[in-house]
Amino acid sequence: MLKIAIAQLNPTVGDIDGNSGAIIAAMQRAAGQGADLAVFTELALCGYYPGDLLEEAAFLDRMQAGLQRVLEASRGLPGLVSVVGAVRANDGPGKPLFNALLAIRDGVIVAEYYKQLLPTYGVFDDRRHFEPGPEGACVLQVGDHRIGFLICEDGWNHEGRDYKVNPFTALREARPDLVVSINASPSDIGKRELRHKLFRTASVHNELPILYVNQVGGQDQLVYDGASFAVSPSQGIAFEAQRFSEDFQGIGFTQGRFSAADGFALPAPGADGLPVAEFARRQIVLGLQDYARRCGFSKVVVGSSGGIDSALTLALAVDALGPENVIAVTMPSAFSSEGSVSDSVALCRNLGITLFTHPILDLVKQYGIGFEGAFDRPLQGLPLENLQARVRGTILMAYSNASGTLLLTTGNKSEISVGYCTLYGDTNGGLGLIGDLYKTEVYALSRHVNQRAGRELIPDAVLTKPPSAELAPGQQDTDSLPEYEVLDEILKWHIEGRRLPAAEAALAEQFVAGLLADANGAALVKRIHGMVARNEYKRRQAPPIIRVRSRAFGSGRQLPIAAHY
């Protein structure tokens, strides 16, 4: 039996010393458990994705030094084959680097495979820095088993639709006993199920068992969920590692089937994934934890308006960092309702966090006096509304600077889409937690947070009050926008379209088709599309948001600002 150690780690981009140390520790653990093969993830040595760090000579030098440490450690672990993702130089024509898989045994690289399919869609830009590897299979003998290799995207073209090259073709001809695929596959709604379906089909079609090892952790906007798995033609999905946490698992493989490390049957993984709300919670919590940690923050601050968006942001921040590391600030103005403050007080009491009060009435009034004196016109209407948001944003940034806390923005995807936010105001901050959740999903996740806690963390008054920016007398969101149940379906179809999960796409398409059948509905769809286009400049200047869906604002959606739509 081939004994395999699956090292589902959380590498940090650029931390070669830390990553190589974690790899060596896992190698030693694998050897101590008698493993024949230890499998790590794509670019595990430098973290995925390093971007233009790959153009810096010092970074590549550190990468090579880290690899040497791994090779040296391997000399003390006789017989163990460690499969590690790293960067290798390309001495031939094309881009100067390869995205490489290195099989290391007794301090020597005994097999070297280069990623053949380099994605440039969505959040990926591998072709910017890497040259595609040569066509053909790479197979290594490990004990009595022949092991073939893939790197992430190489396994996603088994039907041959997206690339001219299909690495499975060469593997099928080489007939290894097992295919090992190392990955850095970011998570979004439905991604786990998509991976299982695709690789189950590939396994059956090519008659090849596949071990899929994926990294875990948050990196900027992206979150990697781990969920490494094993699939064989006879067993289907035979094994799955933990989601949203590091994991080290030992499994066995013999005669085309996976087993527990002791040879007994593996527990069958659950066919169903997480409910959408729970998935979103875990995705956002892990994303914030790693973003704060990697950027050197231990505490966060949030402007608390008494509304649903800031309430959910605060609840998720407490979930991620603990109540002692979350600060809220309420900043009432002349137009703030009584509930703006009282609901914030109740929320923060429920969450166990500190709430500061910083009224802005006098500041806004003084701005108005200065504005009229300088420009001979009163400050009123939309400029006055936006000023209030900008004063609040300035106060929050001042507190962030003074206290060393990370300011979290509170905008949701519905409002960010149509520009229902103030540049240099409520868009201030270092990270947005709910910017990839539509407003209807904000409510759904808020209810889930309460249900999961078994008590009212987010007060019912916050959940039931009509949403409002409270920047003008009696203002409500529906003064400027359609009901969110309508707006969100239009936005889903316009922004994500076929990228939505099938059932969700069908509902959105049917809903929008109904609107387009009516003149008023068609005019509304056109107006919303125009609002999305006109506000690209705001999104370009906004902080990063944690990606939950397959198409989030940020690196995965690139549209021009100065364009005619």
Side-chain angles (χ1 to χ4, degrees):
M1 181 175 68
L2 182 72
K3 294 184 178 181
I4 307 169
I6 298 168
Q8 180 178 288
L9 303 183
N10 186 350
T12 296
V13 168
D15 185 9
I16 310 298
D17 288 344
N19 297 340
S20 60
I23 290 169
I24 291 168
M27 290 166 57
Q28 293 169 339
R29 182 177 178 184
Q33 295 180 0
D36 304 299
L37 186 67
V39 183
F40 298 87
T41 56
E42 180 180 10
L43 296 184
L45 197 54
C46 65
Y48 188 93
Y49 187 75
D52 286 354
L53 287 174
L54 292 167
E55 299 177 8
E56 298 182 6
F59 179 81
L60 297 176
D61 289 344
R62 289 193 294 116
M63 167 75 73
Q64 187 60 33
L67 177 58
Q68 289 303 315
R69 287 194 292 274
V70 172
L71 290 170
E72 179 62 31
S74 172
R75 292 188 183 96
L77 306 171
L80 176 69
V81 175
S82 299
V83 176
V84 180
V87 174
R88 297 291 271 174
N90 172 25
D91 297 326
K95 297 295 175 69
L97 302 170
F98 289 117
N99 182 336
L101 176 155
L102 306 178
I104 299 167
R105 179 169 53 204
D106 300 329
V108 177
I109 298 173
V110 293
E112 195 160 351
Y113 173 79
Y114 303 142
K115 190 175 183 179
Q116 298 181 50
L117 307 184
L118 302 177
T120 58
Y121 59 85
V123 297
F124 304 108
D125 201 9
D126 286 36
R127 195 66 177 88
R128 179 179 176 90
H129 303 102
F130 293 119
E131 185 67 15
E135 296 181 28
C138 175
V139 178
L140 174 68
Q141 190 77 28
V142 180
D144 296 330
H145 295 83
R146 299 176 69 246
I147 311 297
F149 300 107
L150 293 173
I151 302 177
C152 206
E153 186 79 358
D154 291 343
W156 289 73
N157 192 44
H158 74 93
E159 294 181 345
R161 294 179 179 177
D162 299 320
Y163 302 87
K164 293 181 179 179
V165 177
N166 181 3
F168 270 118
T169 301
L171 281 172
R172 188 167 59 245
E173 295 172 354
R175 303 307 310 163
D177 299 304
L178 170 66
V179 173
V180 167
S181 174
I182 64 171
N183 301 268
S185 176
S187 174
D188 56 61
I189 294 172
K191 189 67 169 290
R192 169 189 179 268
E193 291 72 23
L194 178 60
R195 294 187 200 119
H196 285 188
K197 178 181 178 181
L198 188 144
F199 280 88
R200 186 188 302 113
T201 302
S203 175
V204 171
H205 178 76
N206 296 289
E207 299 180 327
L208 293 169
I210 303 169
L211 175 63
Y212 181 105
V213 180
N214 190 31
Q215 80 171 39
V216 71
Q219 181 60 51
D220 295 352
Q221 285 188 271
L222 302 181
V223 177
Y224 302 86
D225 61 336
S228 302
F229 63 91
V231 57
S232 74
S234 61
Q235 296 170 289
I237 305 298
F239 160 84
E240 185 176 29
Q242 295 181 33
R243 297 191 74 181
F244 298 106
S245 65
E246 288 192 317
D247 199 8
F248 183 95
Q249 295 279 351
I251 64 173
F253 177 80
T254 185
Q255 297 181 345
R257 293 175 63 85
F258 295 98
S259 67
D262 56 10
F264 289 98
L266 288 160
D272 295 330
L274 296 169
V276 171
E278 176 62 11
F279 166 83
R281 184 194 70 82
R282 296 183 68 178
Q283 180 101 337
I284 292 168
V285 165
L286 179 57
L288 172 57
Q289 287 172 336
D290 279 351
Y291 189 92
R293 175 173 60 86
R294 298 193 209 280
C295 293
F297 291 99
S298 60
K299 296 178 180 290
V300 297
V301 60
V302 179
S304 180
S305 68
I308 190 69
D309 295 327
S310 59
L312 178 59
T313 299
L314 283 163
L316 292 170
V318 168
D319 196 351
L321 304 175
E324 69 279 9
N325 294 315
V326 180
I327 304 296
V329 183
T330 182
M331 295 164 284
S333 75
F335 307 117
S336 296
S337 66
E338 181 180 346
S340 174
V341 176
S342 63
D343 291 343
S344 292
V345 170
L347 169 73
C348 294
R349 182 176 59 245
N350 293 349
L351 294 173
I353 62 178
T354 299
L355 173 66
F356 293 113
T357 301
H358 190 312
I360 65 169
L361 177 62
D362 292 340
L363 287 171
V364 172
K365 182 179 179 180
Q366 195 60 45
Y367 265 104
I369 293 170
F371 186 92
E372 186 166 3
F375 303 114
D376 195 27
R377 64 175 66 182
L379 186 62
Q380 59 188 6
L382 183 61
L384 177 59
E385 293 181 24
N386 287 338
L387 173 65
Q388 295 169 72
R390 291 185 175 119
V391 168
R392 288 177 171 130
T394 299
I395 291 168
L396 290 169
M397 283 306 305
Y399 181 84
S400 173
N401 292 160
S403 61
T405 54
L406 171 66
L407 173 57
L408 302 178
T409 60
T410 60
N412 61 70
K413 192 167 187 174
S414 304
E415 295 170 357
I416 294 170
S417 297
V418 296
Y420 197 65
C421 52
T422 302
L423 203 56
Y424 320 123
D426 55 335
T427 57
N428 281 4
L431 182 68
L433 301 193
I434 63 171
D436 204 25
L437 297 178
Y438 294 103
K439 188 76 168 190
T440 49
E441 294 174 321
V442 169
Y443 281 101
L445 182 51
S446 296
R447 289 189 291 269
H448 175 74
V449 165
N450 283 352
Q451 291 167 359
R452 183 174 178 273
R455 62 190 182 93
E456 192 177 273
L457 293 179
I458 299 175
D460 184 66
V462 175
L463 282 162
T464 56
K465 72 170 68 173
S468 170
E470 294 193 344
L471 300 175
Q475 185 182 53
Q476 293 189 7
D477 290 5
T478 50
D479 298 339
S480 305
L481 302 173
E483 296 286 349
Y484 283 111
E485 289 79 6
V486 175
L487 176 62
D488 287 358
E489 294 305 311
I490 298 172
L491 292 174
K492 286 178 186 178
W493 184 244
H494 177 56
I495 295 169
E496 295 172 79
R498 296 295 183 184
R499 295 177 180 86
L500 292 166
E504 197 174 9
L507 287 174
E509 182 175 9
Q510 183 181 20
F511 188 91
V512 173
L515 290 175
L516 294 175
D518 172 77
N520 291 333
L524 175 62
V525 172
K526 182 178 180 180
R527 180 167 76 89
I528 297 304
H529 285 194
M531 294 173 75
V532 173
R534 286 194 303 274
N535 287 284
E536 183 64 30
Y537 77 101
K538 289 187 180 181
R539 294 186 289 271
R540 192 73 63 87
Q541 299 178 70
I545 60 176
I546 294 176
R547 178 175 174 266
V548 176
R549 292 178 157 271
S550 60
R551 197 182 197 199
F553 295 126
S555 59
R557 183 179 183 271
Q558 300 180 23
L559 290 174
I561 295 174
H564 179 73
Y565 292 90

PDB file of all heavy atoms in Angstrom, residues 386 390 419 421-424 531-542 559-562:
ATOM      1  N   ASN A 386     -23.378  63.911   0.919  1.00  0.00           N
ATOM      2  CA  ASN A 386     -22.065  63.283   0.766  1.00  0.00           C
ATOM      3  C   ASN A 386     -21.071  63.798   1.801  1.00  0.00           C
ATOM      4  O   ASN A 386     -20.186  63.052   2.256  1.00  0.00           O
ATOM      5  CB  ASN A 386     -21.524  63.522  -0.641  1.00  0.00           C
ATOM      6  CG  ASN A 386     -22.239  62.686  -1.684  1.00  0.00           C
ATOM      7  OD1 ASN A 386     -22.846  61.664  -1.361  1.00  0.00           O
ATOM      8  ND2 ASN A 386     -22.173  63.098  -2.927  1.00  0.00           N
ATOM      9  N   ARG A 390     -18.489  61.777   4.237  1.00  0.00           N
ATOM     10  CA  ARG A 390     -17.042  62.026   4.193  1.00  0.00           C
ATOM     11  C   ARG A 390     -16.503  62.457   5.552  1.00  0.00           C
ATOM     12  O   ARG A 390     -15.362  62.117   5.908  1.00  0.00           O
ATOM     13  CB  ARG A 390     -16.733  63.057   3.115  1.00  0.00           C
ATOM     14  CG  ARG A 390     -16.972  62.514   1.719  1.00  0.00           C
ATOM     15  CD  ARG A 390     -16.557  63.453   0.608  1.00  0.00           C
ATOM     16  NE  ARG A 390     -16.725  62.771  -0.669  1.00  0.00           N
ATOM     17  CZ  ARG A 390     -17.535  63.177  -1.646  1.00  0.00           C
ATOM     18  NH1 ARG A 390     -18.236  64.294  -1.503  1.00  0.00           N
ATOM     19  NH2 ARG A 390     -17.630  62.487  -2.763  1.00  0.00           N
ATOM     20  N   GLY A 419     -23.435  52.446  -7.290  1.00  0.00           N
ATOM     21  CA  GLY A 419     -22.816  53.674  -6.817  1.00  0.00           C
ATOM     22  C   GLY A 419     -23.534  54.326  -5.661  1.00  0.00           C
ATOM     23  O   GLY A 419     -23.337  55.529  -5.414  1.00  0.00           O
ATOM     24  N   CYS A 421     -23.073  54.871  -2.717  1.00  0.00           N
ATOM     25  CA  CYS A 421     -22.039  54.975  -1.706  1.00  0.00           C
ATOM     26  C   CYS A 421     -21.270  56.258  -1.999  1.00  0.00           C
ATOM     27  O   CYS A 421     -21.346  56.800  -3.107  1.00  0.00           O
ATOM     28  CB  CYS A 421     -21.098  53.764  -1.722  1.00  0.00           C
ATOM     29  SG  CYS A 421     -20.401  53.392  -3.348  1.00  0.00           S
ATOM     30  N   THR A 422     -20.533  56.740  -1.028  1.00  0.00           N
ATOM     31  CA  THR A 422     -19.833  58.018  -1.164  1.00  0.00           C
ATOM     32  C   THR A 422     -18.337  57.798  -1.212  1.00  0.00           C
ATOM     33  O   THR A 422     -17.748  57.270  -0.257  1.00  0.00           O
ATOM     34  CB  THR A 422     -20.181  58.953   0.007  1.00  0.00           C
ATOM     35  OG1 THR A 422     -21.593  59.147   0.044  1.00  0.00           O
ATOM     36  CG2 THR A 422     -19.501  60.303  -0.161  1.00  0.00           C
ATOM     37  N   LEU A 423     -17.735  58.201  -2.321  1.00  0.00           N
ATOM     38  CA  LEU A 423     -16.281  58.102  -2.447  1.00  0.00           C
ATOM     39  C   LEU A 423     -15.621  58.985  -1.390  1.00  0.00           C
ATOM     40  O   LEU A 423     -16.035  60.128  -1.173  1.00  0.00           O
ATOM     41  CB  LEU A 423     -15.870  58.560  -3.848  1.00  0.00           C
ATOM     42  CG  LEU A 423     -14.538  58.050  -4.399  1.00  0.00           C
ATOM     43  CD1 LEU A 423     -14.500  56.533  -4.400  1.00  0.00           C
ATOM     44  CD2 LEU A 423     -14.327  58.584  -5.807  1.00  0.00           C
ATOM     45  N   TYR A 424     -14.615  58.434  -0.719  1.00  0.00           N
ATOM     46  CA  TYR A 424     -13.899  59.088   0.382  1.00  0.00           C
ATOM     47  C   TYR A 424     -14.792  59.264   1.608  1.00  0.00           C
ATOM     48  O   TYR A 424     -14.487  60.050   2.498  1.00  0.00           O
ATOM     49  CB  TYR A 424     -13.310  60.447  -0.040  1.00  0.00           C
ATOM     50  CG  TYR A 424     -12.730  60.421  -1.430  1.00  0.00           C
ATOM     51  CD1 TYR A 424     -13.178  61.308  -2.397  1.00  0.00           C
ATOM     52  CD2 TYR A 424     -11.756  59.485  -1.783  1.00  0.00           C
ATOM     53  CE1 TYR A 424     -12.673  61.271  -3.681  1.00  0.00           C
ATOM     54  CE2 TYR A 424     -11.242  59.436  -3.065  1.00  0.00           C
ATOM     55  CZ  TYR A 424     -11.708  60.328  -4.015  1.00  0.00           C
ATOM     56  OH  TYR A 424     -11.212  60.278  -5.295  1.00  0.00           O
ATOM     57  N   MET A 531     -26.438  52.750 -14.301  1.00  0.00           N
ATOM     58  CA  MET A 531     -25.866  53.095 -13.002  1.00  0.00           C
ATOM     59  C   MET A 531     -24.625  52.256 -12.706  1.00  0.00           C
ATOM     60  O   MET A 531     -23.628  52.771 -12.181  1.00  0.00           O
ATOM     61  CB  MET A 531     -26.910  52.904 -11.906  1.00  0.00           C
ATOM     62  CG  MET A 531     -28.096  53.860 -11.995  1.00  0.00           C
ATOM     63  SD  MET A 531     -29.418  53.477 -10.804  1.00  0.00           S
ATOM     64  CE  MET A 531     -28.684  54.075  -9.271  1.00  0.00           C
ATOM     65  N   VAL A 532     -24.675  50.982 -13.056  1.00  0.00           N
ATOM     66  CA  VAL A 532     -23.506  50.117 -12.849  1.00  0.00           C
ATOM     67  C   VAL A 532     -22.317  50.642 -13.662  1.00  0.00           C
ATOM     68  O   VAL A 532     -21.199  50.751 -13.152  1.00  0.00           O
ATOM     69  CB  VAL A 532     -23.825  48.659 -13.245  1.00  0.00           C
ATOM     70  CG1 VAL A 532     -22.567  47.806 -13.188  1.00  0.00           C
ATOM     71  CG2 VAL A 532     -24.904  48.076 -12.327  1.00  0.00           C
ATOM     72  N   ALA A 533     -22.571  50.999 -14.914  1.00  0.00           N
ATOM     73  CA  ALA A 533     -21.486  51.473 -15.783  1.00  0.00           C
ATOM     74  C   ALA A 533     -20.909  52.797 -15.290  1.00  0.00           C
ATOM     75  O   ALA A 533     -19.682  52.982 -15.251  1.00  0.00           O
ATOM     76  CB  ALA A 533     -22.001  51.622 -17.210  1.00  0.00           C
ATOM     77  N   ARG A 534     -21.759  53.717 -14.891  1.00  0.00           N
ATOM     78  CA  ARG A 534     -21.297  55.059 -14.515  1.00  0.00           C
ATOM     79  C   ARG A 534     -20.477  55.057 -13.233  1.00  0.00           C
ATOM     80  O   ARG A 534     -19.730  56.010 -12.983  1.00  0.00           O
ATOM     81  CB  ARG A 534     -22.496  56.004 -14.335  1.00  0.00           C
ATOM     82  CG  ARG A 534     -23.147  56.436 -15.633  1.00  0.00           C
ATOM     83  CD  ARG A 534     -24.084  57.618 -15.399  1.00  0.00           C
ATOM     84  NE  ARG A 534     -25.119  57.348 -14.412  1.00  0.00           N
ATOM     85  CZ  ARG A 534     -26.286  56.782 -14.685  1.00  0.00           C
ATOM     86  NH1 ARG A 534     -26.554  56.396 -15.930  1.00  0.00           N
ATOM     87  NH2 ARG A 534     -27.179  56.592 -13.725  1.00  0.00           N
ATOM     88  N   ASN A 535     -20.608  54.040 -12.426  1.00  0.00           N
ATOM     89  CA  ASN A 535     -19.941  54.040 -11.125  1.00  0.00           C
ATOM     90  C   ASN A 535     -18.714  53.142 -11.054  1.00  0.00           C
ATOM     91  O   ASN A 535     -18.235  52.832  -9.954  1.00  0.00           O
ATOM     92  CB  ASN A 535     -20.954  53.658 -10.043  1.00  0.00           C
ATOM     93  CG  ASN A 535     -21.925  54.785  -9.771  1.00  0.00           C
ATOM     94  OD1 ASN A 535     -21.580  55.761  -9.106  1.00  0.00           O
ATOM     95  ND2 ASN A 535     -23.132  54.674 -10.303  1.00  0.00           N
ATOM     96  N   GLU A 536     -18.197  52.771 -12.208  1.00  0.00           N
ATOM     97  CA  GLU A 536     -16.960  51.987 -12.218  1.00  0.00           C
ATOM     98  C   GLU A 536     -15.825  52.748 -11.544  1.00  0.00           C
ATOM     99  O   GLU A 536     -14.969  52.159 -10.871  1.00  0.00           O
ATOM    100  CB  GLU A 536     -16.582  51.618 -13.647  1.00  0.00           C
ATOM    101  CG  GLU A 536     -15.342  50.741 -13.771  1.00  0.00           C
ATOM    102  CD  GLU A 536     -15.523  49.376 -13.121  1.00  0.00           C
ATOM    103  OE1 GLU A 536     -16.666  48.871 -13.074  1.00  0.00           O
ATOM    104  OE2 GLU A 536     -14.508  48.821 -12.663  1.00  0.00           O
ATOM    105  N   TYR A 537     -15.795  54.078 -11.695  1.00  0.00           N
ATOM    106  CA  TYR A 537     -14.715  54.865 -11.105  1.00  0.00           C
ATOM    107  C   TYR A 537     -14.713  54.776  -9.579  1.00  0.00           C
ATOM    108  O   TYR A 537     -13.652  54.815  -8.948  1.00  0.00           O
ATOM    109  CB  TYR A 537     -14.808  56.326 -11.557  1.00  0.00           C
ATOM    110  CG  TYR A 537     -15.878  57.132 -10.857  1.00  0.00           C
ATOM    111  CD1 TYR A 537     -15.540  58.005  -9.822  1.00  0.00           C
ATOM    112  CD2 TYR A 537     -17.215  57.040 -11.216  1.00  0.00           C
ATOM    113  CE1 TYR A 537     -16.505  58.754  -9.169  1.00  0.00           C
ATOM    114  CE2 TYR A 537     -18.187  57.787 -10.576  1.00  0.00           C
ATOM    115  CZ  TYR A 537     -17.832  58.642  -9.555  1.00  0.00           C
ATOM    116  OH  TYR A 537     -18.803  59.378  -8.906  1.00  0.00           O
ATOM    117  N   LYS A 538     -15.879  54.642  -8.965  1.00  0.00           N
ATOM    118  CA  LYS A 538     -15.930  54.482  -7.509  1.00  0.00           C
ATOM    119  C   LYS A 538     -15.361  53.132  -7.090  1.00  0.00           C
ATOM    120  O   LYS A 538     -14.570  53.032  -6.139  1.00  0.00           O
ATOM    121  CB  LYS A 538     -17.371  54.599  -7.003  1.00  0.00           C
ATOM    122  CG  LYS A 538     -17.975  55.988  -7.055  1.00  0.00           C
ATOM    123  CD  LYS A 538     -19.335  55.995  -6.368  1.00  0.00           C
ATOM    124  CE  LYS A 538     -19.990  57.366  -6.399  1.00  0.00           C
ATOM    125  NZ  LYS A 538     -21.299  57.376  -5.712  1.00  0.00           N
ATOM    126  N   ARG A 539     -15.759  52.105  -7.812  1.00  0.00           N
ATOM    127  CA  ARG A 539     -15.285  50.758  -7.449  1.00  0.00           C
ATOM    128  C   ARG A 539     -13.783  50.636  -7.637  1.00  0.00           C
ATOM    129  O   ARG A 539     -13.117  49.915  -6.893  1.00  0.00           O
ATOM    130  CB  ARG A 539     -16.030  49.707  -8.275  1.00  0.00           C
ATOM    131  CG  ARG A 539     -17.512  49.634  -7.957  1.00  0.00           C
ATOM    132  CD  ARG A 539     -18.177  48.483  -8.677  1.00  0.00           C
ATOM    133  NE  ARG A 539     -18.291  48.721 -10.110  1.00  0.00           N
ATOM    134  CZ  ARG A 539     -19.303  49.331 -10.703  1.00  0.00           C
ATOM    135  NH1 ARG A 539     -20.312  49.791  -9.979  1.00  0.00           N
ATOM    136  NH2 ARG A 539     -19.329  49.483 -12.011  1.00  0.00           N
ATOM    137  N   ARG A 540     -13.242  51.333  -8.643  1.00  0.00           N
ATOM    138  CA  ARG A 540     -11.804  51.259  -8.889  1.00  0.00           C
ATOM    139  C   ARG A 540     -11.013  51.839  -7.715  1.00  0.00           C
ATOM    140  O   ARG A 540      -9.863  51.460  -7.494  1.00  0.00           O
ATOM    141  CB  ARG A 540     -11.471  52.015 -10.179  1.00  0.00           C
ATOM    142  CG  ARG A 540     -10.064  51.778 -10.713  1.00  0.00           C
ATOM    143  CD  ARG A 540      -9.916  50.399 -11.319  1.00  0.00           C
ATOM    144  NE  ARG A 540     -10.771  50.215 -12.476  1.00  0.00           N
ATOM    145  CZ  ARG A 540     -10.453  50.547 -13.730  1.00  0.00           C
ATOM    146  NH1 ARG A 540      -9.268  51.098 -13.972  1.00  0.00           N
ATOM    147  NH2 ARG A 540     -11.275  50.320 -14.728  1.00  0.00           N
ATOM    148  N   GLN A 541     -11.606  52.779  -6.977  1.00  0.00           N
ATOM    149  CA  GLN A 541     -10.898  53.437  -5.874  1.00  0.00           C
ATOM    150  C   GLN A 541     -11.268  52.874  -4.507  1.00  0.00           C
ATOM    151  O   GLN A 541     -10.747  53.315  -3.491  1.00  0.00           O
ATOM    152  CB  GLN A 541     -11.208  54.938  -5.890  1.00  0.00           C
ATOM    153  CG  GLN A 541     -10.772  55.636  -7.170  1.00  0.00           C
ATOM    154  CD  GLN A 541     -11.145  57.104  -7.171  1.00  0.00           C
ATOM    155  OE1 GLN A 541     -10.569  57.894  -6.416  1.00  0.00           O
ATOM    156  NE2 GLN A 541     -12.090  57.473  -8.003  1.00  0.00           N
ATOM    157  N   ALA A 542     -12.164  51.922  -4.489  1.00  0.00           N
ATOM    158  CA  ALA A 542     -12.624  51.352  -3.221  1.00  0.00           C
ATOM    159  C   ALA A 542     -11.627  50.317  -2.705  1.00  0.00           C
ATOM    160  O   ALA A 542     -10.813  49.786  -3.467  1.00  0.00           O
ATOM    161  CB  ALA A 542     -13.994  50.721  -3.414  1.00  0.00           C
ATOM    162  N   LEU A 559     -13.213  46.291 -16.227  1.00  0.00           N
ATOM    163  CA  LEU A 559     -13.960  47.091 -17.184  1.00  0.00           C
ATOM    164  C   LEU A 559     -13.378  48.496 -17.232  1.00  0.00           C
ATOM    165  O   LEU A 559     -12.875  49.004 -16.216  1.00  0.00           O
ATOM    166  CB  LEU A 559     -15.440  47.154 -16.799  1.00  0.00           C
ATOM    167  CG  LEU A 559     -16.235  45.858 -16.949  1.00  0.00           C
ATOM    168  CD1 LEU A 559     -17.640  46.023 -16.401  1.00  0.00           C
ATOM    169  CD2 LEU A 559     -16.304  45.425 -18.414  1.00  0.00           C
ATOM    170  N   PRO A 560     -13.454  49.162 -18.382  1.00  0.00           N
ATOM    171  CA  PRO A 560     -12.924  50.530 -18.472  1.00  0.00           C
ATOM    172  C   PRO A 560     -13.811  51.517 -17.733  1.00  0.00           C
ATOM    173  O   PRO A 560     -15.014  51.293 -17.566  1.00  0.00           O
ATOM    174  CB  PRO A 560     -12.919  50.803 -19.979  1.00  0.00           C
ATOM    175  CG  PRO A 560     -14.003  49.925 -20.520  1.00  0.00           C
ATOM    176  CD  PRO A 560     -13.978  48.684 -19.674  1.00  0.00           C
ATOM    177  N   ILE A 561     -13.209  52.614 -17.295  1.00  0.00           N
ATOM    178  CA  ILE A 561     -13.966  53.689 -16.667  1.00  0.00           C
ATOM    179  C   ILE A 561     -14.503  54.646 -17.727  1.00  0.00           C
ATOM    180  O   ILE A 561     -15.690  54.959 -17.759  1.00  0.00           O
ATOM    181  CB  ILE A 561     -13.080  54.450 -15.660  1.00  0.00           C
ATOM    182  CG1 ILE A 561     -12.680  53.535 -14.501  1.00  0.00           C
ATOM    183  CG2 ILE A 561     -13.805  55.685 -15.129  1.00  0.00           C
ATOM    184  CD1 ILE A 561     -11.684  54.160 -13.548  1.00  0.00           C
ATOM    185  N   ALA A 562     -13.623  55.105 -18.587  1.00  0.00           N
ATOM    186  CA  ALA A 562     -13.988  56.082 -19.614  1.00  0.00           C
ATOM    187  C   ALA A 562     -14.415  55.340 -20.879  1.00  0.00           C
ATOM    188  O   ALA A 562     -13.613  55.100 -21.781  1.00  0.00           O
ATOM    189  CB  ALA A 562     -12.821  57.019 -19.904  1.00  0.00           C
TER     190      ALA A 562
END
